[in-house]
Amino acid sequence: MAINPLGLVAALTAFLSIWIGHVAVRKVEAAAARLWIPMTLAALAGTALLLAALRIPGRSVSMACGITGMALLWDVLELQRQARRVRIGHAPANPKNPRHAATLAALHIQTSTSLGGNLELEGKKTSHERQPG
Amino acid sequence: MNAFGLLVGVATLVVIGMGFPLVIFGERYFGYLWWPYLLGFGILSVLSSLFIQPDWISALTGIVGATLVWGSTELNEQARRAEAGWFPRKARKIRPPFERIINKWKAPRL
């Protein structure tokens, strides 16, 4: 029986593009001061790969481009979702990032005023610094 | 023009999209200890795609396999999210066979 490697290629491309995208989204969102820049770059790269997928005649390479392109377009949405996760405290904030610093400052004010304004937060971990579980 | 790659890309997005509720509800009702079964089915699915001749079906079988492998690594993460109160949590789970052995293994995380 002849072996058809297309499924294996699809599986490896899908797994690696999701994995790398998953890690990259967290790191890029934490580092980027302006989120629209990586979002635009990912959207452009994703679209370019999808256009390449349409033009490449070989099925394996066309498929790899199609899957990676779609994963990159998904990562555009994920960058925004990651920013939201940081805002609501479901992902760690980077104090060196101006966007995150503003979120941390807002959280500090909100927590202090909601408890009468006398809460000392120095040295205490906020939900941004704690990992669940 | 070769639409194969683009269409498989769209199919990947749909299959992975179905993986999200699989992980959320799977963890809620079954618990994360089912991860070796998900991982095993995923690897079997990828291997079986090698013996499927139609390119479409082979590619989709491989993608389903990759999604199951990914899902097996996400079960542990989802258990942590539920533990933190970010998702509804069900205390009584349907336990997997060989639970004691699986408990000794470290669940994969990416």
Side-chain angles (χ1 to χ4, degrees):
Chain A
M1 184 183 243
I3 295 283
N4 185 0
L6 217 60
L8 183 65
V9 173
L12 287 175
T13 314
F15 190 80
L16 288 176
S17 58
I18 298 168
W19 185 5
I20 294 167
H22 188 69
V23 176
V25 160
R26 282 185 288 188
K27 289 193 185 296
V28 169
E29 198 282 332
R34 288 178 219 156
L35 205 55
W36 67 268
I37 297 173
M39 283 173 76
T40 309
L41 290 176
L44 288 174
T47 310
L49 277 169
L50 291 179
L51 289 174
L54 285 171
R55 294 181 69 90
I56 292 168
R59 284 198 156 182
S60 284
V61 183
S62 167
M63 187 182 66
C65 287
I67 294 171
T68 315
M70 276 294 171
L72 275 165
L73 290 184
W74 179 255
D75 289 339
V76 175
L77 291 176
E78 274 298 319
L79 277 167
Q80 202 146 39
R81 286 170 51 141
Q82 178 68 10
R84 184 181 167 272
R85 284 192 280 268
V86 172
R87 274 200 303 275
I88 61 175
H90 286 191
N94 173 16
K96 290 177 185 168
N97 186 326
R99 278 185 306 111
H100 292 193
T103 306
L104 285 170
L107 181 86
H108 185 281
I109 291 162
Q110 195 181 27
T111 313
S112 303
T113 51
S114 66
L115 291 167
N118 295 319
L119 182 70
E120 183 59 62
L121 278 174
E122 285 298 315
K124 289 185 178 164
K125 283 193 169 185
T126 66
S127 61
H128 285 86
E129 293 160 324
R130 277 197 305 263
Q131 287 295 317
Chain B
M1 197 175 84
N2 179 13
F4 184 77
L6 179 70
L7 292 174
V8 172
V10 173
T12 305
L13 210 60
V14 172
V15 172
I16 293 169
M18 291 193 294
F20 282 99
L22 176 83
V23 167
I24 292 168
F25 290 101
E27 194 286 323
R28 191 177 304 163
Y29 293 101
F30 293 89
Y32 80 95
L33 287 174
W34 285 82
W35 69 264
Y37 297 96
L38 219 57
L39 183 67
F41 278 121
I43 291 169
L44 273 179
S45 178
V46 174
L47 290 179
S48 67
S49 76
L50 289 169
F51 304 100
I52 297 170
Q53 293 312 312
D55 286 349
W56 273 106
I57 305 173
S58 175
L60 284 176
T61 311
I63 290 161
V64 168
T67 305
L68 291 175
V69 172
W70 175 258
S72 77
T73 68
E74 271 294 309
L75 276 179
N76 190 21
E77 294 284 329
Q78 182 60 25
R80 287 161 180 266
R81 291 181 202 120
E83 195 75 32
W86 302 345
F87 284 86
R89 189 167 171 272
K90 204 169 178 290
R92 285 183 69 88
K93 315 271 193 200
I94 298 166
R95 307 252 175 222
F98 309 109
E99 186 190 357
R100 278 187 187 175
I101 300 168
I102 296 167
N103 245 324
K104 291 176 187 166
W105 298 341
K106 196 172 181 291
R109 279 179 78 192
L110 294 177

